[in-house]
Amino acid sequence: MNLIILSDTHIKQGQSLISHLPEQLVPIIKSMDLIIHAGDFDTIECYKELSDMGKLYAVCGDTDSPELMNLLPDRKVIEIEGIKVGIIHKGQLTSEIPMGFATLQKRWALTY
């Protein structure tokens, strides 16, 4: 399984994600079995552009449009080849907050 994890692309209305990525990165993304984006696309167009490149799992971020916030969860757990992977944007349960990892572990039954 080959995957790529992205976050904070911050592509504004009228801009293209592909035009902001390094040229060499686009074929790499398209060749992945799975694309994970941890929020802050900013626009639905950016989300759609990335989802057109492959199988996408994503959560919303704090700068995403209302449309994306309604479409995407704020956190998600997926299983990849028997391994649970938690996807979250910077929120209340991060490593920057004491007990963040322990809270994530307890809530999602994750191990680290």
Side-chain angles (χ1 to χ4, degrees), residues 72-92:
L72 300 172
D74 62 348
R75 57 187 68 134
K76 184 174 190 69
V77 176
I78 59 174
E79 192 165 320
I80 303 170
E81 297 181 352
I83 299 171
K84 289 182 181 179
V85 177
I87 309 167
I88 188 169
H89 190 71
K90 182 178 179 180
Q92 294 178 357

Side-chain angles (χ1 to χ4, degrees), residues 3-95:
L3 61 93
I4 189 164
I5 302 172
L6 306 167
S7 181
D8 296 276
T9 44
H10 293 287
I11 303 301
K12 301 300 179 201
Q13 190 71 35
Q15 296 179 338
S16 166
L17 171 66
I18 291 175
S19 70
H20 282 79
L21 293 174
E23 186 178 313
Q24 319 84 296
L25 187 56
V26 174
I28 292 170
I29 293 172
K30 289 181 177 181
S31 73
M32 295 291 110
D33 299 311
L34 184 62
I35 304 165
I36 296 174
H37 194 289
D40 280 357
F41 293 92
D42 281 5
T43 64
I44 191 76
E45 292 81 13
C46 179
Y47 168 81
K48 288 178 180 177
E49 200 171 359
L50 192 57
S51 68
D52 286 345
M53 290 190 214
K55 185 171 183 172
L56 173 64
Y57 286 104
V59 297
C60 66
D62 56 320
T63 67
D64 283 326
S65 68
E67 187 176 10
L68 279 171
M69 288 189 179
N70 287 328
L71 176 69
L72 300 172
D74 62 348
R75 57 187 68 134
K76 184 174 190 69
V77 176
I78 59 174
E79 192 165 320
I80 303 170
E81 297 181 352
I83 299 171
K84 289 182 181 179
V85 177
I87 309 167
I88 188 169
H89 190 71
K90 182 178 179 180
Q92 294 178 357
L93 301 176
T94 69
S95 61

